[in-house]
Amino acid sequence: LYFSAQGGILFLYHIKDLHYEMKICADILQPITNLIFSPDYTVLLLVTDQGAVYTYKPPHSEEAVKLLDACSGYFLAADFLTPGNKYCVSVATSGEVQVWVLEDGTCLSKLNLNMEVHVT
C-alpha cells in the first residue's frame, strides 16, 4: 500500500498476514495530490500541489524523479496512456492537455481546451 502525507513523503506499508512494516520511499518536499500506478505497476506518477509530476519506480528506486514542471498553470492530474507505460497525459489548470514521454519528459502533443479547468 503506497500513500503520501502532507509533507510530500511517499510511504509504503508492506502488509503480510498480521504484520506490517512502514517504509519511507521518497521525499519530494511538496504535498502530493495524486498517486497513479502504470497499468503494469512498474511506475508510479506523483502529482504535487505545486504543479509538478514525478515518477517513482518501486522497488528499484530510492528517490522520485521530476518529470514535468507546470509551464502554463498547475497540473491538476496526470495518468498513463495505455497500453503500456511509455506515455502519460496531463491536464493543467489553464486547460492545456499534454502527452509526454515518461522516459525523459519530452512533450509530444498539446491541446488547449480554451477554458480553465478545476477539480470538483
Side-chain angles (χ1 to χ4, degrees):
L1 173 66
Y2 285 91
F3 71 96
S4 67
Q6 288 182 340
I9 299 173
L10 177 66
F11 293 96
L12 167 66
Y13 263 134
H14 185 264
I15 303 167
K16 185 172 181 174
D17 300 322
L18 298 175
H19 303 283
Y20 71 92
E21 175 185 358
M22 187 176 80
K23 176 184 173 188
I24 295 175
C25 298
D27 185 357
I28 59 173
L29 305 174
Q30 297 178 13
I32 299 168
T33 56
N34 292 322
L35 300 172
I36 305 103
F37 259 111
S38 63
D40 63 0
Y41 297 99
T42 59
V43 180
L44 184 62
L45 287 181
L46 312 170
V47 181
T48 73
D49 73 345
Q50 300 295 309
V53 177
Y54 290 78
T55 58
Y56 178 76
K57 296 181 180 180
H60 309 293
S61 183
E62 291 297 319
E63 64 181 59
V65 176
K66 186 183 277 188
L67 177 65
L68 311 171
D69 233 337
C71 49
S72 59
Y74 290 130
F75 288 120
L76 290 177
D79 204 348
F80 291 89
L81 288 177
T82 56
N85 58 354
K86 192 173 179 180
Y87 307 102
C88 74
V89 62
S90 64
V91 62
T93 55
S94 65
E96 188 170 82
V97 178
Q98 299 175 344
V99 176
W100 304 90
V101 177
L102 279 172
E103 184 176 309
D104 61 7
T106 301
C107 181
L108 296 178
S109 179
K110 294 180 185 182
L111 170 67
N112 195 325
L113 302 175
N114 294 318
M115 65 176 64
E116 285 190 19
V117 179
H118 303 279
V119 176
T120 56

